[in-house]
Amino acid sequence: MSDNEEELPPIIPQKAYKSMDFINSQEARTIRVMCEFEETLQRLRTQGVKETILFFGSAKALSTKQFAKAMKTQTDIINSKESTQEQKEKANQEIESLKKREWLCDVYDRVGELSKKLTEWALKYRSSTIVGGGYLFTGQAEHEEANMEIEGEEEEERPSVILDSSDPLAGPSPNTWAVSDVQEPS
């Protein structure tokens, strides 16, 4: 380096995890999901949960019962004399959307049955295993259904957590069954 050249300060790049623009980008979604897993795992460990079994699926999946109810609701809108043309068109679009997802109903129902069997097993052996659903149980009714009394067991209070994502398709999932000190911090 000659005497007239200035020495430039070293360039220290910002760490990617400190860039909120990157962390909140679509490209970093996988990283955010992993953070949700790890942070939730830490909270579960503080509650004595040693093992977890999670089922993941589509936020758009419905049980056979939910599918039938949704189809009936949309069909009733179409058949109602009080519905506007716009409401009927929207109902037709929803029916088409439901039909495209109908194949998920059997999967949803079977995973629910498997979840129930695994829960019964965990309760029988007083295991610390928690069985739950990620996107599987996306609404309040599904959380309540998932927490109903397990056949053959005495009714008792069972702690429940909701493992939710920031997926805009899933929407918020309030869970009145959840244990507040295991839920996400505010």
Side-chain angles (χ1 to χ4, degrees):
M1 180 178 304
S2 68
D3 291 337
N4 341 19
E5 290 182 27
E6 284 185 48
E7 188 173 319
L8 297 174
I11 297 174
I12 302 172
Q14 180 183 20
K15 297 290 185 185
Y17 59 83
K18 290 185 176 183
S19 168
M20 293 314 291
D21 287 339
F22 172 70
I23 291 297
N24 290 318
S25 70
Q26 180 61 36
E27 292 78 11
R29 176 152 170 67
T30 305
I31 295 166
R32 292 192 310 274
V33 169
M34 289 304 300
C35 288
E36 290 169 3
F37 287 139
E38 290 300 322
E39 196 273 340
T40 301
L41 183 62
Q42 181 182 19
R43 282 185 282 122
L44 289 173
R45 295 296 181 257
T46 64
Q47 298 294 314
V49 175
K50 294 185 173 94
E51 301 113 4
T52 55
I53 300 172
L54 296 174
F55 295 95
F56 291 89
S58 172
K60 295 180 178 183
L62 299 173
S63 70
T64 303
K65 185 177 175 181
Q66 294 166 326
F67 178 83
K69 183 178 177 182
M71 287 293 284
K72 182 179 181 334
T73 299
Q74 299 308 317
T75 303
D76 288 349
I77 291 170
I78 292 168
N79 294 332
S80 172
K81 292 178 182 176
E82 297 173 11
S83 296
T84 65
Q85 187 60 33
E86 185 179 332
Q87 289 171 323
K88 291 180 181 190
E89 288 172 10
K90 189 174 179 181
N92 271 318
Q93 290 172 351
E94 182 59 25
I95 285 175
E96 288 306 309
S97 175
L98 285 166
K99 286 179 180 177
K100 290 176 184 175
R101 296 179 279 144
E102 184 176 10
W103 68 273
L104 289 168
C105 295
D106 186 52
V107 175
Y108 186 104
D109 293 342
R110 289 174 184 247
V111 170
E113 184 59 33
L114 178 58
S115 177
K116 178 182 174 186
K117 288 179 180 179
L118 286 168
T119 301
E120 288 170 341
W121 167 83
L123 291 170
K124 180 178 179 181
Y125 293 101
R126 300 293 181 221
S127 169
S128 61
T129 301
I130 297 294
V131 181
Y135 297 112
L136 180 64
F137 302 113
T138 58
Q140 183 64 30
E142 292 78 22
H143 290 295
E144 291 173 7
E145 186 177 312
N147 283 282
M148 290 187 330
E149 182 181 345
I150 301 297
E151 193 174 322
E153 290 290 320
E154 291 181 22
E155 190 171 342
E156 61 180 90
E157 295 259 335
R158 290 192 184 91
S160 176
V161 295
I162 179 173
L163 303 177
D164 207 358
S165 77
S166 53
D167 184 348
L169 292 175
S173 301
N175 183 354
T176 58
W177 296 82
V179 177
S180 61
D181 57 350
V182 184
Q183 291 308 109
E184 283 186 55
S186 301

